[in-house]
Amino acid sequence: MPAMDDAWNQSFAVLRQLSAEDFRSGAEISRQLRVSRASVHNLVERARGLGVMIHAVPGRGYRLAEPCSWLDAEALRAGLLPGYRLTLEQVCDSTNSRLLALAARGEAHKSVLAAEWQTGGRGRRGRAWLAAPGAGLTFSLLWRFNRPLTALSGLSLAVGVALAEALEATGARGIGLKWPNDVLAGGAKLAGILIETQGDMLSNATAVIGVGLNVRAAPSLPEAATVALAELIDADIDRNRLLTRVLVSLDRVLEAFDRHGFAPLREAWQARHVWQGKPVRVMGGAGPVEGVALGVDAAGVLRIETIDGVQVIHAGEVSL
Ligand code: BTN
């Protein structure tokens, strides 16, 4: 949909002209971007429709309601480890879908696709992932493992550890992990992980690891269930720095996982496990299982102590 994408890209070009400090007049923006005043107005309205809060004052112009560090490809590339390749899209349907398609066509190991905004962001279990432009991080990383699909057990937990460690390094406290792969703070969801794999049982596996992280509270977030990093730390967040920090952490954890599997990361995961030792109900494939969460084994499988003994859960949803 090139025409549609063009309109969105123009909307982002307008957003990048705005700051939270000073008003920018419609005339100035229209001169800068070589579009009409009416177009500037329409593009601002489009951005507002996505949840970006913009003040408009007649005679003064437009101003962002809150400061925003827009993603910048150069700043991001400067913070990447050797061997990484990053593409930044203003608008993308889903970074996971896009990177999966590229992976099937031979895209390289350690390719990263980040987007300011996804038109069809996907969560686990067919849910949507919503994030207003500038309010979160939405990106996917392509990893070509030296192990087959059958040896990726615990991968989503490993990714959770990488995210938790990167977030803690920003000063955030009280980060917890919920099996199999949510990052929480104060019981609310801070980040989600969607891992999709390619490969057969015998050959080395390829995974697209998608991460959605709430950075600032935005109208698209359902308030009770979610939390944003800005609510946890007392400093301005540079999203470029945050993303490169997360990628560095992912690199360290995924290299370790590729060599040794989940076992060496088990302790780090369990130390942050929010349901550890608590009564839980797990909705698994074979129906609900109730008991006390004992933690995970060396393959990341959840162990629940039930009245009938210890049961192991390979996939499911946990609630207290
Ligand atoms: C979940 O908790 O349900 C997982 C959410 C994963 C969302 C991210 S955002 C970047 C990547 N692209 C997608 O379409 N989804 C993942």
Side-chain angles (χ1 to χ4, degrees):
M1 292 180 294
M4 174 96 165
D5 280 2
D6 279 357
W8 284 120
N9 283 331
Q10 278 189 325
S11 223
F12 281 95
V14 169
L15 280 177
R16 285 170 186 272
Q17 297 282 318
L18 304 182
S19 82
E21 284 82 49
D22 300 309
F23 279 92
R24 195 89 203 272
S25 76
E28 239 179 293
I29 300 171
S30 97
R31 254 198 317 276
Q32 190 76 32
L33 299 180
R34 297 169 196 271
V35 295
S36 69
R37 292 280 299 275
S39 295
V40 171
H41 172 82
N42 291 338
L43 294 166
V44 165
E45 286 311 311
R46 251 171 180 271
R48 276 181 161 162
L50 303 183
V52 184
M53 287 184 286
I54 300 169
H55 294 150
V57 176
R60 299 187 71 187
Y62 304 101
R63 193 181 71 179
L64 292 176
E66 286 179 50
C68 178
S69 58
W70 297 109
L71 292 179
D72 177 82
E74 256 175 55
L76 287 169
R77 287 183 190 126
L80 292 179
L81 292 173
Y84 276 75
R85 216 179 74 95
L86 179 135
T87 307
L88 172 63
E89 299 273 358
Q90 299 302 310
V91 184
C92 177
D93 49 354
S94 149
T95 56
N96 258 43
S97 305
R98 190 76 67 88
L99 201 50
L100 274 169
L102 292 170
R105 281 188 260 131
E107 186 76 4
H109 175 51
K110 299 194 178 181
S111 290
V112 179
L113 176 60
E116 271 301 357
W117 185 59
Q118 298 182 115
T119 52
R122 296 188 288 112
R124 291 174 58 238
R125 301 176 171 263
R127 290 187 280 244
W129 183 263
L130 302 172
L137 289 181
T138 47
F139 71 93
S140 304
L141 164 65
L142 171 62
W143 197 278
R144 297 198 183 273
F145 285 93
N146 292 306
R147 42 176 63 225
L149 274 184
T150 47
L152 292 192
S153 177
L155 174 60
S156 67
L157 284 74
V159 172
V161 169
L163 294 182
E165 289 180 351
L167 292 166
E168 286 160 3
T170 68
R173 294 287 158 260
I175 305 289
L177 295 171
K178 180 178 148 191
W179 189 89
N181 55 5
D182 280 346
V183 181
L184 308 183
K189 185 153 163 172
L190 177 59
I193 299 161
L194 177 66
I195 299 180
E196 296 176 290
T197 51
Q198 285 176 347
D200 53 44
M201 292 303 167
L202 299 174
S203 58
N204 284 342
T206 290
V208 168
I209 299 164
V211 175
L213 167 65
N214 304 324
V215 177
R216 277 191 297 112
S220 59
L221 299 180
E223 265 168 44
T226 54
V227 64
L229 183 61
E231 297 164 47
L232 306 177
I233 59 177
D234 201 17
D236 289 345
I237 299 167
D238 175 340
R239 289 191 310 136
N240 293 294
R241 206 167 126 59
L242 179 62
L243 176 49
T244 52
R245 192 173 234 174
V246 169
L247 288 171
V248 169
S249 182
L250 276 169
D251 188 77
R252 194 179 46 73
V253 165
L254 291 171
E255 288 288 0
F257 182 94
D258 210 356
R259 269 188 222 110
H260 312 290
F262 177 67
L265 300 160
R266 175 172 173 251
E267 215 170 286
W269 190 88
Q270 216 148 258
R272 299 174 174 91
H273 179 204
V274 289
W275 303 145
Q276 191 72 17
K278 299 208 171 118
V280 292
R281 182 183 163 86
V282 184
M283 296 306 298
V289 176
E290 284 184 30
V292 172
L294 297 177
V296 291
D297 69 10
V301 173
L302 184 64
R303 298 173 67 244
I304 311 269
E305 184 158 49
T306 72
I307 45 170
D308 303 319
V310 175
Q311 291 205 25
V312 293
I313 312 289
H314 292 264
E317 289 278 287
V318 184
S319 60
L320 206 57

